[in-house]
Amino acid sequence: MLVTGNSRQSVAWIAQHADGWLHYPQNVDPQARTIRQWRSLHQGFKPFAQSLYIDLAEDPDAPPTPIFLGFKSGHRFLVEYLGALRDIGVNHVGFNLKYGSRPAAEVVQELGEFVVPHFPAHAASRDLPKDEVES
């Protein structure tokens, strides 16, 4: 079970009782501090996830502009931002398209084509014997 936000609990309580933490988006540096605190309060692996509202601009090079709990940008900035989140220890990002200006199906197609390939899931390949991964 992932606790969302603080749910009126301390971070220490969440680390002791939850299987993971679903946090709100923050700029990268404050999020890194939050993750360091989270990781210091428990042993073993417990995922850190965050939500993110996105409005994917048609221009792939569009710079970010703030929206509620996220931003509007082109997919190139989104890839850069997600890479920074990965690098600080975010394990999962849940996109919310509620404030998007484009049809959701179009955005999902673009995410699948231009964003998701930069972030392959490695867990499945770790569970396979080496000869099956290489084939």
Side-chain angles (χ1 to χ4, degrees):
M1 177 176 316
L2 301 182
V3 170
T4 303
N6 283 47
S7 299
R8 300 182 185 170
Q9 303 296 328
S10 70
V11 179
W13 185 94
I14 295 167
Q16 181 180 359
H17 297 284
D19 297 315
W21 195 11
L22 175 58
H23 204 271
Y24 299 101
Q26 303 182 77
N27 288 329
V28 173
D29 290 339
Q31 196 73 305
R33 286 190 295 277
T34 300
I35 293 167
R36 283 193 299 273
Q37 179 187 23
W38 167 247
R39 302 261 187 251
S40 75
L41 293 171
H42 60 80
Q43 304 228 339
F45 175 74
K46 290 189 177 189
F48 183 93
Q50 77 163 59
S51 59
L52 181 65
Y53 284 81
I54 60 169
D55 182 3
L56 201 60
E58 287 190 40
D59 176 1
D61 294 312
T65 57
I67 63 172
F68 179 72
L69 295 176
F71 52 81
K72 177 176 185 169
S73 76
H75 69 251
R76 290 192 177 108
F77 174 81
L78 180 58
V79 167
E80 180 182 310
Y81 178 75
L82 293 173
L85 293 181
R86 177 197 55 216
D87 293 347
I88 64 167
V90 174
N91 303 108
H92 305 280
V93 175
F95 294 128
N96 192 321
L97 307 179
K98 178 179 180 178
Y99 301 114
S101 55
R102 295 170 56 196
E106 188 177 301
V107 171
V108 169
Q109 173 65 35
E110 187 170 339
L111 290 171
E113 187 173 347
F114 295 105
V115 177
V116 173
H118 292 274
F119 305 97
H122 297 289
S125 65
R126 283 195 302 256
D127 296 335
L128 294 173
K130 186 176 180 183
D131 60 333
E132 290 183 43
V133 173
E134 295 173 352
S135 56

